[in-house]
Amino acid sequence: EKRVQVLFVDDNSLNWKVAMRALARLDWVHVDTAANGKEALEKVTGGTGELTKPVHYSTIFMDVQMPVMDGLEATQMIRMLETRAGVPPVWIVGLSAHAGLEVTKCKEAGMDKFIAKPFHMSELTNSVLRPLNAC
């Protein structure tokens, strides 16, 4: 049985716990976490700073506002690396408590979907299923 890799990027550990609880229901999903955009980039590139093959996560949940590197900058970097490597884009879902202000910024940065916080567990599970059903 193939396990699906998901990356949850947020500087709030409470959000990690909620996401883990929601996604634990999908026993074929493995959740990896990062506390900011810089950590997310390290995990996406395996610490090399480059991509040589498609991102191994099927979905990345990316908080928009974080210290060190925010989700918008991290998403732009991932999209640039994907373009440079000529690989298909990973499904990136933006997360923010400031829904009205962030939706446009998320789309411009290259995010595929936006979920407002506090999120519902079903929104997370549906976001994991979405790119799998597109194949």
Side-chain angles (χ1 to χ4, degrees), residues 4-9 30 40-41 43-45 51 53-62 71 74-83 85-94 106-107 109-113 127-128 130-132 134-135:
V4 172
Q5 302 276 326
V6 171
L7 179 61
F8 191 86
V9 188
H30 171 77
L41 274 174
K43 293 197 177 213
V44 163
T45 65
L51 283 176
K53 57 186 192 265
V55 173
H56 63 282
Y57 298 108
S58 66
T59 303
I60 298 175
F61 292 99
M62 185 80 73
T75 298
Q76 290 169 329
M77 293 290 295
I78 291 168
R79 295 303 187 219
M80 183 197 70
L81 292 171
E82 289 170 332
T83 300
V87 299
V90 63
W91 181 251
I92 301 179
V93 180
C106 288
K107 285 194 185 311
M111 293 178 179
D112 300 293
K113 183 177 176 170
S127 293
V128 169
R130 164 69 174 72
L132 302 178
C135 295

Side-chain angles (χ1 to χ4, degrees), residues 9-122:
V9 188
D10 199 311
D11 58 324
N12 183 330
S13 61
L14 179 62
N15 289 332
W16 287 5
K17 289 180 182 122
V18 172
M20 295 288 213
R21 197 172 329 127
L23 298 173
R25 295 175 182 182
L26 306 174
D27 59 0
W28 42 269
V29 172
H30 171 77
V31 182
D32 200 0
T33 57
N36 58 59
K38 184 173 185 288
E39 281 184 23
L41 274 174
E42 287 168 6
K43 293 197 177 213
V44 163
T45 65
T48 65
E50 290 296 326
L51 283 176
T52 56
K53 57 186 192 265
V55 173
H56 63 282
Y57 298 108
S58 66
T59 303
I60 298 175
F61 292 99
M62 185 80 73
D63 185 22
V64 173
Q65 297 177 332
M66 294 177 287
V68 185
M69 180 187 288
D70 68 31
L72 300 173
E73 184 180 351
T75 298
Q76 290 169 329
M77 293 290 295
I78 291 168
R79 295 303 187 219
M80 183 197 70
L81 292 171
E82 289 170 332
T83 300
R84 189 185 302 164
V87 299
V90 63
W91 181 251
I92 301 179
V93 180
L95 305 170
S96 177
H98 308 288
L101 303 171
E102 306 292 7
V103 177
T104 304
K105 288 183 189 174
C106 288
K107 285 194 185 311
E108 288 171 355
M111 293 178 179
D112 300 293
K113 183 177 176 170
F114 178 85
I115 297 176
K117 293 184 195 176
F119 41 75
H120 297 283
M121 292 187 181
S122 63

